Amino acid sequence: MKREDRKAAVAAYKDRKVAAGIYVVRCAATGQHWAGISPDLSKIWNRLSFSLRQGNEPTRSLQAAWREHGANSFTFDPIEPIETEETPVHRDPVLRDRLAHWCKTLPAERI
């Protein structure tokens, strides 16, 4: 890759819009839901599924369901993206409030 191409790729990555928000993981076999917040919804499923495959996900009920039913029983859905330019100090309380709402509405266990 040429130096100019590399610089352009790095600049494009830094300038991309990142959507923070609320997501839900569903187990089709049991009907259970787990909800969480992420500063970047486009990357959270990769991190979460890696933790589950490795067997070290801190949410014990989610890890147990993953072991028992397998990866094919699970779906990931971003349910409320929040596209904002606000700093984490202003964004995080909003995300926590929305997560509490979704945990009650679904009902879901918090991740």
Side-chain angles (χ1 to χ4, degrees):
M1 181 179 271
K2 293 181 182 178
R3 180 177 169 91
E4 296 82 25
D5 294 339
R6 185 176 177 276
K7 280 187 172 184
V10 168
Y13 179 79
K14 287 181 179 180
D15 290 339
R16 70 186 170 83
K17 292 282 186 185
V18 176
I22 313 298
Y23 64 90
V24 66
V25 176
R26 293 180 174 95
C27 178
T30 64
Q32 290 176 288
H33 298 85
W34 295 267
I37 60 176
S38 176
D40 188 349
L41 286 173
S42 67
K43 295 181 180 178
I44 189 65
W45 179 240
N46 189 39
R47 183 194 64 78
L48 189 59
S49 62
F50 178 79
S51 293
L52 289 164
R53 286 190 310 269
Q54 297 302 312
N56 59 7
E57 168 57 36
T59 309
R60 291 183 181 184
S61 61
L62 176 56
Q63 185 67 61
W66 182 275
R67 263 190 243 113
E68 185 176 340
H69 302 289
N72 293 333
S73 295
F74 288 83
T75 59
F76 169 83
D77 294 307
I79 54 175
E80 189 174 340
I82 299 173
E83 294 185 29
T84 179
E85 297 294 325
E86 293 181 12
T87 62
V89 172
H90 296 101
R91 181 189 64 214
D92 290 350
V94 172
L95 287 173
R96 285 192 298 270
D97 288 345
R98 297 307 300 155
L99 177 60
H101 163 78
W102 283 107
C103 285
K104 269 179 31 179
T105 302
L106 287 173
E109 184 179 337
R110 186 177 178 164
I111 294 179

